Amino acid sequence: MRATFLFSVLLIVVSSAASFSSGARATRCSPIIRKRKTALDLSGVSSASANALLARGGGEQVLKSFYGDALGYFGGIRTPATFLAGSSLAAIFTLKGAASKLASDDSSLSGLEKFAIKAYHVLAVMAFVLSLNTVVTATVAHTSVLHGRFDQVAETAYTMMKREFLYEFDMTRWSFLSSMFCFLGMVLSRLLFEFELLKVGSFGGAGENLAMLLLCIFGALITNLMSFVNQNLWCWSSLIGMTRSVVELVLDRAFVQKRPLQVISVLFTLGSAFYIGKLVGLGDKEKQNDSL
């Protein structure tokens, strides 16, 4: 059971990595080029965009204001992010059944159950933090748009957002997508240990098959979403590249622009990464060494 479960998790990770690499796209943001469209192929292009392209005449750029698009984006992304934040916050404090044993007596839990419960805790907190970061950043950026102290004119709304609201635009997109995948992992972990699918002989011996079924279902969903997301990031070939860019933006704010609170945030983030690793793996190793 343990070997089969670990093999399935490895398969999902490998599939996710494959979807990252398959989402190849031009990495330069300007100009934005989609290989599947040619200069004469307007299939899939909105009527407004098509009219703008046809109106150029000899390559002359048509510029217009995208003030309303900026307001719409920052206002719209808060709705799904708020849903994820509320659901994740509720999930953090609603553990019961097998999960409650981990805090008191975990001797009856298998290694996979302990891992699933720990993963659930970590993913729930990460989903809440990232989605809340999306909501707050989008709200502050929405207020900045209302001030109107930026160049609203550009060829496309995407170009204007990348030029005028680079940090806010990239951070909200990355935080929302990351929180969504953390939320899916949290749901999968909860299903596995709440219904005791990781116990040997559960459900009359069918627990292993049910666990594998859930892994396949969520693995298919996660890899499908990752593939689609990677194909539509435009400026990056995958979510990994987007993550790298977000990290660079944060480090620039911390150490180039020298924002003290941003520096503290980076230090706390590094500390969080350290203790996540210790919680998932190093903690069990230390217990094993103590018992020996």
Side-chain angles (χ1 to χ4, degrees):
M1 173 67 179
R2 183 182 181 88
T4 306
F5 177 80
L6 293 178
F7 174 77
S8 302
V9 174
L10 179 62
L11 180 62
I12 294 176
V13 173
V14 172
S15 301
S16 302
S19 68
F20 280 136
S21 60
S22 65
R25 191 176 288 277
T27 56
R28 293 185 178 180
C29 297
S30 180
I32 302 170
I33 301 174
R34 300 186 73 174
K35 294 183 179 180
R36 62 187 178 203
K37 287 189 176 69
T38 63
L40 299 178
D41 183 13
L42 299 180
S43 60
V45 180
S46 64
S47 59
S49 299
N51 293 334
L53 290 172
L54 295 176
R56 291 179 184 179
E60 181 181 356
Q61 293 183 347
V62 176
L63 304 178
K64 64 177 183 177
S65 173
F66 289 99
Y67 176 84
D69 298 79
L71 284 177
Y73 170 78
F74 288 122
I77 199 172
R78 287 182 296 183
T79 301
T82 301
F83 165 77
L84 288 178
S87 301
S88 302
L89 179 62
I92 294 174
F93 300 102
T94 57
L95 289 178
K96 58 182 180 179
S100 61
K101 298 179 182 179
L102 185 63
S104 56
D105 182 16
D106 60 357
S107 58
S108 62
L109 300 178
S110 65
L112 288 178
E113 286 180 303
K114 295 177 184 178
F115 178 82
I117 294 174
K118 291 178 181 179
Y120 174 83
H121 282 290
V122 173
L123 292 173
V125 172
M126 290 182 63
F128 169 72
V129 170
L130 290 171
S131 55
L132 185 62
N133 181 60
T134 304
V135 174
V136 175
T137 304
T139 301
V140 175
H142 194 271
T143 305
S144 299
V145 175
L146 293 177
H147 279 288
R149 298 176 181 176
F150 63 96
D151 186 0
Q152 308 168 11
V153 178
E155 185 180 3
T156 65
Y158 188 93
T159 303
M160 187 273 291
M161 294 289 283
K162 293 289 290 185
R163 185 191 66 217
E164 301 295 329
F165 299 97
L166 178 61
Y167 175 82
E168 297 87 345
F169 188 44
D170 289 353
M171 179 60 74
T172 52
R173 294 165 65 200
W174 177 83
S175 294
F176 174 73
L177 292 173
S178 299
S179 65
M180 178 189 65
F181 288 119
C182 288
F183 182 81
L184 291 175
M186 177 197 73
V187 174
L188 175 59
S189 301
R190 180 65 178 266
L191 289 172
L192 289 174
F193 70 75
E194 189 66 34
F195 294 100
E196 300 184 346
L197 299 180
L198 301 177
K199 282 187 177 297
V200 178
S202 61
F203 284 88
E208 180 178 352
N209 292 331
L210 290 174
M212 294 302 300
L213 174 61
L214 285 176
L215 285 172
C216 291
I217 292 174
F218 275 83
L221 175 62
I222 291 172
T223 52
N224 175 69
L225 291 176
M226 281 187 176
S227 177
F228 182 74
V229 167
N230 290 339
Q231 292 172 2
N232 291 276
L233 287 178
W234 298 100
C235 290
W236 305 276
S237 61
S238 70
L239 194 59
I240 294 178
M242 187 180 190
T243 303
R244 187 184 305 113
S245 296
V246 171
V247 171
E248 291 175 354
L249 287 174
V250 172
L251 294 179
D252 178 79
R253 287 171 54 86
F255 301 107
V256 177
Q257 301 179 29
K258 297 181 179 179
R259 300 175 182 268
L261 291 179
Q262 193 72 64
V263 174
I264 297 175
S265 175
V266 170
L267 296 178
F268 275 123
T269 303
L270 293 176
S272 301
F274 171 77
Y275 282 105
I276 287 176
K278 188 174 182 180
L279 175 66
V280 174
L282 298 180
D284 291 339
K285 292 182 179 179
E286 291 177 357
K287 289 182 179 179
Q288 292 177 1
N289 294 333
D290 293 339
S291 61
L292 294 176

